[in-house]
Amino acid sequence: MSAQIIDGKKIAEEIKGEVKNQAKKLRETKGIIPGLAFILVGENPASQVYVRSKGKACDEMGFYTVTERRSSDISEKELLGMIDEFNRDTKIHGILVQMPLPKHMSEEKVIEAIDPKKDVDGFHPINVGKLVIGEEALRPCTPAGVQELLLRSGNDPAGKHVVIVGRSNIVGKPVANILLQKQAGANAVVTVAHTGAKNLVPFTKAADILIAAIGKAEIVRGEMLKKGVVVIDVGINRIDDSSAKNGYRLVGDVHFESAAKVAKAITPVPGGVGPMTIAMLMKNTLKAAMA
Ligand code: GUN
């Protein structure tokens, strides 16, 4: 049996195409141009890359963007002041403060300063709470992207046993909360496994759909999975590879070759969940502009 490879790049392009069309309609009928403000503090190289890619996607969508870059020694007060200005700016519908922040700042305090209606990351406790009780709200991008990947690849989670490995606030917990809702595109039976388990195998073996969000390279192997499982790999890890030009390559939390032998469908890394995060950010920004 050869597994279906779920093409996240293609699905992300499909979603961005839809967002672009809807944004055009919004501009023509209501004169509204979705606006997204980026705040980038410090020199973290990964953060610089992420903000650049997100900005580029906004340009493709025809969105208005503002990017504020500050050195890591700015005060928390100054950052909160910038957020406050964007909260009141009617041209801005979404505010994205790229994480991580320098150690002298409280990420919680910064997230809570963002107007929940402009919280396109879906990190604000108001939006987290609404997600948990199944209310309409801005949902976190990577978890919402996992759901879209399942649906658009023909793997509806309804009635399936979804096992999530990992309980982070940005992936594991929100994915669990999205997929267990009694709603179309969800309605799964959800198990969340994590480092507190003595042995992961009884959990991974029981999955119809396995979502790996652990942050460790290739720790889920085919031998740990049930035949016919659908595998969504959220991990992005660098491992040394002397044959690669830059000395490393990217792998997921799942050992792809062994898992692909037993899976019905599987996402690759890169090119699986990764591109979906930006596509869902575009969708959230449009949604915030339409609200
Ligand atoms: N840092 C890593 N991932 C994310 C994300 O999804 N949003 C923000 N704001 N920062 C991040």
Side-chain angles (χ1 to χ4, degrees):
M1 184 171 73
S2 97
Q4 167 200 3
I5 309 293
I6 300 174
D7 188 344
K9 225 170 137 181
K10 182 160 154 252
I11 295 172
E13 286 304 320
E14 210 173 276
I15 293 168
K16 284 193 286 178
E18 292 163 13
V19 170
K20 189 175 175 176
N21 285 336
Q22 285 172 278
K24 183 167 175 271
K25 225 179 275 166
L26 186 66
R27 189 172 63 239
E28 288 167 356
T29 57
K30 299 215 169 121
I32 297 171
I33 297 170
L36 180 53
F38 295 99
I39 301 177
L40 174 57
V41 184
E43 320 296 326
N44 183 318
S47 293
Q48 313 255 359
V49 174
Y50 287 137
V51 169
R52 212 175 313 127
S53 318
K54 291 170 185 176
K56 214 176 114 223
C58 285
D59 294 344
E60 283 171 43
M61 298 302 104
F63 291 178
Y64 164 70
T65 59
V66 182
T67 306
E68 296 286 356
R69 292 186 172 81
R70 294 291 185 279
S71 67
S72 55
D73 59 4
I74 70 156
S75 66
E76 188 182 86
K77 193 166 165 230
E78 197 176 331
L79 176 57
L80 294 174
M82 280 160 58
I83 292 171
D84 189 46
E85 264 182 51
F86 286 133
N87 279 341
R88 285 184 279 115
D89 186 338
T90 53
K91 294 195 298 301
I92 295 296
H93 306 96
I95 302 169
L96 188 144
V97 182
Q98 186 65 30
M99 304 294 171
L101 286 172
K103 297 240 181 311
H104 66 278
M105 292 183 193
S106 154
E107 290 188 349
E108 287 78 16
K109 205 165 160 185
V110 168
I111 289 166
E112 287 175 33
I114 298 169
D115 179 345
K117 293 190 178 66
K118 299 191 178 187
D119 169 37
V120 285
D121 269 321
F123 291 165
H124 193 289
I126 294 263
N127 288 321
V128 176
K130 285 186 174 181
L131 167 59
V132 172
I133 60 176
E135 259 188 56
E136 178 69 26
L138 290 165
R139 292 179 163 188
C141 302
T142 303
V146 167
Q147 183 186 31
E148 284 285 346
L149 270 185
L150 287 170
L151 295 174
R152 293 184 188 234
S153 65
N155 295 292
D156 193 322
K160 296 287 181 351
H161 183 200
V162 174
V163 177
I164 298 157
V165 189
R167 57 176 153 184
S168 70
N169 288 337
I170 62 166
V171 184
K173 283 180 200 163
V175 166
N177 280 296
I178 288 173
L179 296 181
L180 63 75
Q181 297 300 325
K182 196 169 183 178
Q183 288 170 357
N187 210 22
V189 176
V190 175
T191 297
V192 182
H194 47 71
T195 49
K198 286 198 176 68
N199 180 5
L200 280 178
V201 177
F203 299 103
T204 56
K205 272 273 184 202
D208 299 321
I209 297 174
L210 183 104
I211 299 173
I214 306 154
K216 285 213 172 84
E218 300 181 319
I219 73 162
V220 175
R221 299 190 55 94
E223 305 85 80
M224 299 164 64
L225 301 169
K226 181 166 76 178
K227 201 167 168 58
V229 64
V230 174
V231 177
I232 306 291
D233 190 350
V234 187
I236 303 177
N237 312 285
R238 277 187 183 192
I239 58 167
D240 293 338
D241 182 352
S242 55
S243 71
K245 229 192 301 171
N246 36 21
Y248 71 87
R249 67 193 167 93
L250 294 178
V251 298
D253 293 345
V254 177
H255 183 261
F256 185 85
E257 287 72 24
S258 62
K261 284 190 185 133
V262 294
K264 170 177 162 252
I266 185 167
T267 60
V269 176
V273 176
M276 294 298 290
T277 300
I278 293 183
M280 299 313 286
L281 175 68
M282 298 301 107
K283 203 165 167 173
N284 271 353
T285 305
L286 173 71
K287 185 172 170 178
M290 288 168 74

